[in-house]
Amino acid sequence: MKRAAERVRRTIREHNLIQKGDHIVMGLSGGPDSVCLYHVLLGLAGELELTLHPVHINHMFRPGAAERDQKYVEELCEKMGTPAISMTVDCSRMASELGMTSEEAGRKARYDAFFEAAGRIEEEPGRRVRIAVAHNAEDQAETVLFRILRGTGTDGLAGMAYEREERRGDRTYPVIRPLLDTSRKDIEEYCETMGLEPVTDHTNNEPLYARNRLRLELIPYLEREYNSNIKDCLTRLGSIAGEDKDYFWNETIRVMEALRVEEGSCREQGVSAGVVLDRAGLAACHPAIRHRVMMKAFGETGLTRDITAERLGAADEIIMKKQGPKVVEFPHGFRITVKKGMVIFEESSL
């Protein structure tokens, strides 16, 4: 019974996920993972002076079962003294209207709800808000393997972070994963011992989606035929890659600041927009750092996705050459321009 609670406590402490007095907006589906996290955080609420705000989304995917899950969550939260914030969203319709998959629509609905709840809490000054989600250790192993199969860089091998920033419009909140070191077995044992009786989504046990097939078919096959500890190996790979990722990005920040061209120098050269870096210094960087510097520079200008290795390679070519000016177009209306000893990251329309 104690293993899950002890692991969550240790994860929170080691990764500084929660501070005293925090308000925690958390997704509570009614399944074992989220119910376990909810109950453990309730047990820590007095010690850490937490205020929990459980949020439940009825995605309308499973008529009857969805209403059962909502009722279970509402009754559990009422019993525990933290009334649930319940919302109903037609995610199938959302997916159709926005041209996305049902899984993407479900995620959008959840985070829309989290941000709405967090915004209400922040109306009172001084309240710190964090969003907690209930991904566990097996989820981490599945994420690492899924990314390998889809083709990922080394950063992708790190899997899910214990904490990351989620941005919507002009608001940003930390998203934390206190269950990321806790196994599914320990979660289920905790729920059973505590008499929580979480609900079960039967679609999780059907190979309807690629992620389900990986969990239900591929990982058992790898355990049976190649390595009975494959999940532990994948989780360990993610942890090692995460350490490397942290180091590289810290080094990237240091290098980028050293390469940044001052505004006065930019104005003298007639450059007034975007992020501007020294060309010679960027060219001298190791590719592992140079590519991260480019991604960070684009991130500052507004491009945070679809930056491919092919485009970075094209940018390398013009950065390494001394003659110019040269331009490489990037997705979503962004570009790199090399001229007068500078590398300029900007929107193409500017």
Side-chain angles (χ1 to χ4, degrees):
M1 177 191 77
K2 293 183 179 180
R3 281 199 300 268
E6 289 173 352
R7 288 184 185 277
V8 170
R9 180 188 291 270
R10 185 182 65 191
T11 299
I12 289 172
R13 181 179 65 252
E14 290 181 354
H15 299 278
N16 195 28
L17 299 184
I18 295 175
Q19 300 174 22
K20 278 193 174 183
D22 279 348
H23 286 254
I24 308 296
V25 172
M26 66 161 297
L28 185 54
S29 68
D33 298 340
S34 64
V35 168
C36 173
L37 179 58
Y38 169 66
H39 198 267
V40 171
L41 290 180
L42 276 176
L44 295 174
E47 174 187 344
L48 297 179
E49 301 174 13
L50 306 179
T51 304
L52 295 186
H53 306 266
V55 176
H56 178 81
I57 304 299
N58 180 344
H59 300 90
M60 299 179 66
F61 284 142
R62 299 171 293 121
E67 286 68 34
R68 174 209 64 184
D69 295 355
Q70 181 176 340
K71 181 180 178 182
Y72 168 79
V73 167
E74 291 172 348
E75 291 179 349
L76 175 65
C77 291
E78 189 67 30
K79 177 182 177 182
M80 297 297 179
T82 56
I85 302 168
S86 294
M87 301 184 187
T88 300
V89 181
D90 188 341
C91 290
S92 294
R93 181 178 177 181
M94 177 190 292
S96 177
E97 291 177 348
L98 299 180
M100 56 177 59
T101 67
S102 57
E103 291 174 290
E104 291 170 337
R107 184 187 188 281
K108 174 174 169 50
R110 289 191 295 276
Y111 277 88
D112 285 349
F114 296 157
F115 267 65
E116 182 177 337
R120 295 175 189 170
I121 297 164
E122 272 199 333
E123 289 177 0
E124 297 188 26
R127 289 188 167 188
R128 295 188 305 270
V129 181
R130 292 173 180 266
I131 296 171
V133 292
H135 295 114
N136 63 39
E138 274 83 352
D139 292 327
Q140 180 73 303
E142 292 164 14
T143 296
V144 173
L145 181 55
F146 194 63
R147 291 181 179 179
I148 291 172
L149 295 175
R150 296 182 68 179
T152 185
T154 53
D155 281 2
L157 293 177
M160 296 178 286
Y162 289 96
E163 180 176 345
R164 64 175 179 80
E165 298 292 322
E166 179 81 12
R167 184 177 181 83
R168 295 288 175 92
D170 61 351
R171 288 188 297 156
T172 302
Y173 294 109
V175 176
I176 60 173
R177 295 184 172 95
L179 273 185
L180 208 52
D181 295 324
T182 307
S183 71
R184 193 166 285 142
K185 177 182 178 182
D186 285 348
I187 288 168
E188 291 173 351
E189 286 181 355
Y190 181 91
C191 290
E192 181 178 357
T193 303
M194 301 303 294
L196 296 172
E197 299 182 345
V199 294
T200 302
D201 181 352
H202 68 86
T203 63
N204 288 335
N205 297 316
E206 298 176 359
L208 301 175
Y209 307 106
R211 187 67 177 252
N212 281 21
R213 292 196 298 274
L214 184 148
R215 183 178 70 255
L216 298 172
E217 298 173 353
L218 179 55
I219 287 181
Y221 174 77
L222 294 174
E223 288 177 324
R224 185 173 63 252
E225 300 293 336
Y226 291 93
N227 186 343
S228 60
N229 295 315
I230 187 65
K231 287 184 285 192
D232 290 340
C233 292
L234 289 167
T235 302
R236 187 163 58 251
L237 172 61
S239 178
I240 295 169
E243 292 176 353
D244 290 351
K245 178 181 176 181
D246 287 344
Y247 170 79
F248 274 115
W249 280 105
N250 286 334
E251 184 68 6
T252 294
I253 292 169
R254 184 190 68 78
V255 170
M256 184 169 168
E257 291 309 308
L259 296 178
R260 198 184 294 270
V261 178
E262 295 181 357
E263 290 185 14
S265 298
C266 292
R267 285 195 297 269
E268 290 175 4
Q269 299 294 333
V271 176
S272 60
V275 174
V276 184
L277 304 178
D278 177 72
R279 186 208 65 80
L282 189 58
C285 290
H286 188 284
I289 296 296
R290 184 168 62 249
H291 293 163
R292 285 175 168 84
V293 168
M294 285 192 272
M295 288 189 285
K296 183 167 178 56
F298 269 129
E300 288 190 13
T301 63
L303 178 62
T304 59
R305 58 189 177 89
D306 301 329
I307 301 175
T308 65
E310 182 270 332
R311 289 289 83 194
L312 291 175
D316 280 342
E317 292 186 11
I318 66 169
I319 290 169
M320 304 303 287
K321 295 177 181 178
K322 293 184 179 180
Q323 68 270 26
K326 300 288 184 180
V327 177
V328 172
E329 299 293 339
F330 275 70
H332 312 297
F334 290 82
R335 69 185 176 196
I336 284 179
T337 302
V338 176
K339 65 179 182 181
K340 299 179 180 180
M342 299 180 293
V343 183
I344 305 163
F345 301 78
E346 61 184 348
E347 289 189 67
S348 302
S349 58
L350 296 178

